[in-house]
Amino acid sequence: MPASPSTARAINDRLALRLLQQDGPLTAGQLKQLTGLSRPTVADLVERLTDAGLIAVVGEAGEQRRGPNAKLYGIVADRAHLAALDVRTEGVSVVVSDLVGAVLAEASVPIGGDLGTGPAVEQAVALVERVAKEAGADRLHTVGIGAPGLIDPSTGDLRDSTGLPEWHRRLVAALQERLPEARVSIENETNLAALAEQRDGVARDRDTFVLLWLGHGTGAAVVLDGALRRGASGGTGEIGFLPVPGTPGPPSAVDCEGGFHSLAGSAAIVELAGAYGVGAAGISVHEPAAAGVVREAVAPAGGHASGTSDRFLDALADRLALGVASVVAILDPGCVVLGGEVGQAGGELLAGRVEERVRRMSPLATVVRPSSLGGGAVLRGALLTAREAAQDDLFAPPDR
């Protein structure tokens, strides 16, 4: 059945707005070429979107030709402001952007483990308000949050997880109370990192892949046929609990010590590096200590490790290959991204070692790639989801 005129208009408008988001300012002629729509149809949608305050003339095309240059249309970026949060056990980072995702202001604040739940929540909310003010945002339309832990698929809420601060779970409600006009949502940090790597990172050419998060802790995100998979309880990718050899005992339902986390978490990697005499010249307080020692191990010979560094990287690759091979045996993703700060620090040198070992352990062809976004992938993913949610709302037909 053909679409009704109103439905066809809504589809055309959404297509044009997506092209303007993806390709930047365009002329009506370029929109006609990219959409395949007729000139009158494009003229109508440009008029509708302009009247709705969603697009505006932002300049003129630079091509030299007879007659006046064609007008360039772009999305009205300040139509809405968005916020993204990366919530960690030790602090929170915030960015505020316009509707097209251009960052206007950003800041981070450490939140100590000895701070009570109430003061911790207040500190995080106050940071969001301060960054929004610095960005010139009178109000926030959408707030996207990335945090460790399980997201309940039935409610979208962060579940109560052993070992994670209580203020994480209280944060969504506190933000919603202080920002009543904003849409606030939360997603697992590793899932957001995978989304960012798929859109802007090393997995842009992949519809199916797994991101192995290597930061303070471990995690994984699974993308199959272009869709993020969360599992029946929201726990897909809790690879820290994976039983592996080389640990004192198996993990428990409330503690991942003894699981893959015990081999690949930041503390375990730093301990392994120490056993091989590898340390970091300077460890940043803004990243896991493991990232510093891995970066130091990769650095000595311009990315070609040798001696003790070489042996350390071999031992680390042996450990990581256990988790990667387990994922490959079940999912056959074809590509595994070593994410987080540690994956980025290891670069191609560490990823290549892991890929070589997985090739020996599994008959399933698997490419292993280092993250190009590192720890910043969580914040980038949160901003992408906030932008999409805001655009879905603002770009929707008025009679929806």
Side-chain angles (χ1 to χ4, degrees), residues 173-266:
L175 282 169
Q176 197 67 79
E177 181 179 353
R178 291 273 277 272
L179 306 169
E181 295 180 324
R183 299 178 175 212
V184 183
S185 63
I186 190 167
E187 177 60 273
N188 174 266
E189 59 178 356
T190 308
N191 287 344
L192 291 177
L195 173 63
E197 292 288 357
Q198 187 180 35
R199 300 289 182 81
D200 299 330
V202 297
R204 281 173 291 184
D205 61 335
R206 295 282 176 166
D207 287 331
T208 295
F209 71 99
V210 169
L211 181 133
L212 176 60
W213 180 264
L214 300 170
H216 287 288
T218 58
V222 177
V223 177
L224 301 178
D225 299 323
L228 187 66
R229 306 297 181 177
R230 294 178 174 84
S233 61
T236 295
E238 286 296 313
I239 198 170
F241 287 89
L242 178 72
V244 290
T247 63
S252 72
V254 296
D255 190 353
C256 59
E257 288 300 325
F260 183 64
H261 172 82
S262 295
L263 297 183
S266 180

Side-chain angles (χ1 to χ4, degrees), residues 6-22 48-49 52-56 74-80 82 98-101 141-142 183 386-400:
S6 62
T7 300
R9 286 194 295 270
I11 293 172
N12 293 339
D13 290 355
R14 179 66 65 90
L15 174 59
L17 288 163
R18 290 302 182 195
L19 288 169
L20 289 167
Q21 167 68 65
Q22 176 182 315
R48 276 196 306 275
L49 295 176
L54 291 173
I55 68 172
I75 293 174
V76 179
D78 61 0
R79 175 68 184 272
L82 323 169
D98 60 24
L99 183 58
V100 296
H141 182 282
T142 306
R183 299 178 175 212
R387 188 186 75 187
E388 288 190 356
Q391 291 183 356
D392 281 345
D393 177 53
L394 295 172
F395 295 174
D399 58 344
R400 182 178 64 175

Side-chain angles (χ1 to χ4, degrees), residues 49-370:
L49 295 176
T50 302
D51 290 344
L54 291 173
I55 68 172
V57 177
V58 296
E60 292 184 341
E63 297 89 352
Q64 297 299 318
R65 57 190 175 202
R66 295 177 61 183
N69 286 339
K71 296 176 181 178
L72 277 171
Y73 295 93
I75 293 174
V76 179
D78 61 0
R79 175 68 184 272
H81 290 94
L82 323 169
L85 284 72
D86 180 1
V87 177
R88 308 274 180 116
T89 55
E90 72 281 359
V92 61
S93 298
V94 177
V95 300
V96 171
S97 81
D98 60 24
L99 183 58
V100 296
V103 174
L104 304 175
E106 57 187 315
S108 300
V109 64
I111 298 180
D114 56 345
L115 198 63
T117 297
V121 170
E122 176 58 31
Q123 197 168 355
V125 173
L127 179 66
V128 175
E129 293 176 328
R130 176 168 67 82
V131 177
K133 184 177 180 180
E134 291 174 359
D138 295 329
R139 60 179 290 266
L140 293 172
H141 182 282
T142 306
V143 179
I145 305 171
L150 302 179
I151 306 299
D152 188 325
S154 62
T155 65
D157 297 331
L158 188 65
R159 289 172 50 183
D160 187 10
S161 301
T162 302
L164 294 177
E166 174 67 18
W167 67 269
H168 285 193
R169 292 200 308 121
R170 301 281 184 86
L171 182 57
V172 172
L175 282 169
Q176 197 67 79
E177 181 179 353
R178 291 273 277 272
L179 306 169
E181 295 180 324
R183 299 178 175 212
V184 183
S185 63
I186 190 167
E187 177 60 273
N188 174 266
E189 59 178 356
T190 308
N191 287 344
L192 291 177
L195 173 63
E197 292 288 357
Q198 187 180 35
R199 300 289 182 81
D200 299 330
V202 297
R204 281 173 291 184
D205 61 335
R206 295 282 176 166
D207 287 331
T208 295
F209 71 99
V210 169
L211 181 133
L212 176 60
W213 180 264
L214 300 170
H216 287 288
T218 58
V222 177
V223 177
L224 301 178
D225 299 323
L228 187 66
R229 306 297 181 177
R230 294 178 174 84
S233 61
T236 295
E238 286 296 313
I239 198 170
F241 287 89
L242 178 72
V244 290
T247 63
S252 72
V254 296
D255 190 353
C256 59
E257 288 300 325
F260 183 64
H261 172 82
S262 295
L263 297 183
S266 180
I269 293 175
V270 170
E271 183 180 357
L272 179 67
Y276 284 91
V278 176
I283 297 177
S284 170
V285 297
H286 301 294
E287 67 177 8
V293 298
V294 170
R295 187 178 298 109
E296 187 72 14
V298 169
H304 300 283
S306 59
T308 56
S309 294
D310 193 75
R311 290 191 291 274
F312 160 62
L313 290 174
D314 280 340
L316 177 56
D318 288 340
R319 291 185 173 192
L320 298 182
L322 291 174
V324 173
S326 298
V327 167
V328 167
I330 300 299
L331 297 174
D332 186 20
C335 176
V336 174
V337 176
L338 301 185
E341 296 90 347
V342 177
Q344 185 179 44
E348 294 288 352
L349 199 63
L350 179 60
R353 279 169 157 79
V354 175
E355 181 177 320
E356 179 185 6
R357 284 156 175 78
V358 173
R359 191 182 304 121
R360 296 199 302 261
M361 297 167 69
S362 172
L364 307 176
T366 306
V367 174
V368 180
R369 298 173 176 174

